[in-house]
Amino acid sequence: MTQHQPQPQQFYLTAPTECPYLDNRAERKVFTHLVGNRAPELNDLLTQAGFRRSQNIAYRPACENCNACVSVRILAGEFKMTRSMRRIWKRNQDLIGFANKAEPSSEQYALFHDYLNSRHHNGGMSEMSVLDYAMMVEDSHVNTQIIEYRMRGADTMITGKGEGPLIAAALTDVMGDGVSMVYSFFNPEMADRSIGTYIILDHIMRCNALGLPHVYLGYWVNGSAKMHYKTRYKPQEHLTANGWQLTDIAD
């Protein structure tokens, strides 16, 4: 009987494009496909190596003469809320998140569309169609959830679910050593609640409940104001040339 050896994983390099984070910079990415039975294992390994997932693609920056993008993960078991975080956490205790299978809905897309129009109307995702959004959610070969946040209701203690309109959602991968926050969005009219912060805090709590050590936040970009918020969640590790190292950047 002929035995077929597994094919080596193929990686590809994109052409240079305009950097979305830093002015007068060009970005390139190295990427590979996450498909088949090995996808969850490969996603774990690549995430630990600084890759991010988008649909069935794992990618990481491969820019010439620039290393501003740094992978960040929170040490969930050692995390301590700041005073302002405790206020945000308390303010949003009338919300409840429920983890669903990664299946898109029209309600999710409507909220996603409103969020982009309010926060990122000039961004690369602003023109995503319903089909584009559906692919973002469901085109995954790994353990992906979409956590829907709604107001607590009379039956929440029984069902674990909230009631009423969708307020926020987070597309999240559950891995062997933690959770990776792929993308989150929320009702822009409720910005005074700091729901983006609340969602990260909630993921830290979920990670601890699962007994997993890390919440992967994606990239912190040195010099990008819109990425600076990620330094607030401490203790955290940054991926360096010498591996993951504890860091303490002022927030």
Side-chain angles (χ1 to χ4, degrees):
M1 181 180 295
T2 302
Q3 293 186 346
H4 297 282
Q5 296 296 322
Q7 295 297 312
Q9 191 73 24
Q10 299 293 313
F11 289 82
Y12 308 91
L13 186 65
T14 66
T17 58
E18 181 180 356
C19 177
Y21 302 114
L22 301 175
D23 294 336
N24 302 316
R25 302 279 184 95
E27 72 165 357
R28 301 187 77 177
K29 296 175 182 176
V30 59
F31 70 94
T32 190
H33 295 279
L34 293 171
V35 295
N37 295 332
R38 293 184 59 246
E41 175 187 0
L42 183 60
N43 188 49
D44 280 20
L45 292 173
L46 291 177
T47 301
Q48 293 162 10
F51 282 71
R52 293 286 287 166
R53 185 185 69 80
S54 177
Q55 297 177 215
N56 65 1
I57 297 291
Y59 68 91
R60 67 169 297 170
C63 306
E64 298 176 4
N65 304 316
C66 181
N67 57 0
C69 293
V70 179
S71 294
V72 175
R73 67 185 186 187
I74 304 167
L75 301 181
E78 303 173 41
F79 173 76
K80 296 287 191 300
M81 291 191 197
T82 64
R83 183 177 301 176
S84 64
M85 288 175 183
R86 288 196 294 271
R87 287 196 296 267
I88 293 167
W89 181 254
K90 184 177 180 180
R91 173 71 179 88
N92 288 286
Q93 286 306 290
D94 54 350
L95 301 182
I96 184 72
F98 186 81
N100 300 278
K101 292 181 179 179
E103 297 176 348
S105 70
S106 57
E107 186 181 27
Q108 290 169 18
Y109 177 72
L111 183 63
F112 173 76
H113 190 264
D114 289 346
Y115 173 80
L116 290 180
N117 281 343
S118 174
R119 293 295 187 98
H120 306 289
H121 64 277
N122 291 325
M125 301 174 71
S126 60
E127 296 183 1
M128 285 178 63
S129 67
V130 174
L131 292 178
D132 293 331
Y133 174 78
M135 290 294 290
M136 182 180 83
V137 173
E138 66 186 2
D139 189 7
S140 171
H141 293 253
V142 303
N143 183 6
T144 304
Q145 303 173 339
I146 186 156
I147 303 171
E148 294 188 339
Y149 295 86
R150 303 178 192 269
M151 301 298 291
R152 292 180 181 270
D155 295 329
T156 295
M157 292 296 293
I158 299 172
T159 65
K161 298 181 179 182
E163 298 178 0
L166 183 65
I167 292 172
L171 190 64
T172 303
D173 291 344
V174 180
M175 306 183 305
D177 74 327
V179 299
S180 177
M181 299 184 65
V182 178
Y183 197 80
S184 60
F185 52 95
F186 54 86
N187 185 340
E189 295 182 0
M190 302 177 75
D192 61 320
R193 283 177 169 259
S194 299
I195 293 180
T197 298
Y198 169 74
I199 292 173
I200 295 175
L201 297 176
D202 183 63
H203 276 67
I204 296 170
M205 302 304 174
R206 289 173 182 273
C207 199
N208 283 327
L210 292 170
L212 300 174
H214 304 124
V215 176
Y216 288 86
L217 284 185
Y219 299 117
W220 166 69
V221 183
N222 190 9
S224 173
K226 63 183 178 181
M227 287 294 182
H228 189 67
Y229 74 92
K230 295 184 180 183
T231 63
R232 299 175 56 213
Y233 303 90
K234 300 173 182 177
Q236 65 178 237
E237 293 179 329
H238 289 188
L239 184 58
T240 73
N242 296 316
W244 289 97
Q245 294 190 341
L246 195 65
T247 189
D248 187 20
I249 295 174
D251 51 341

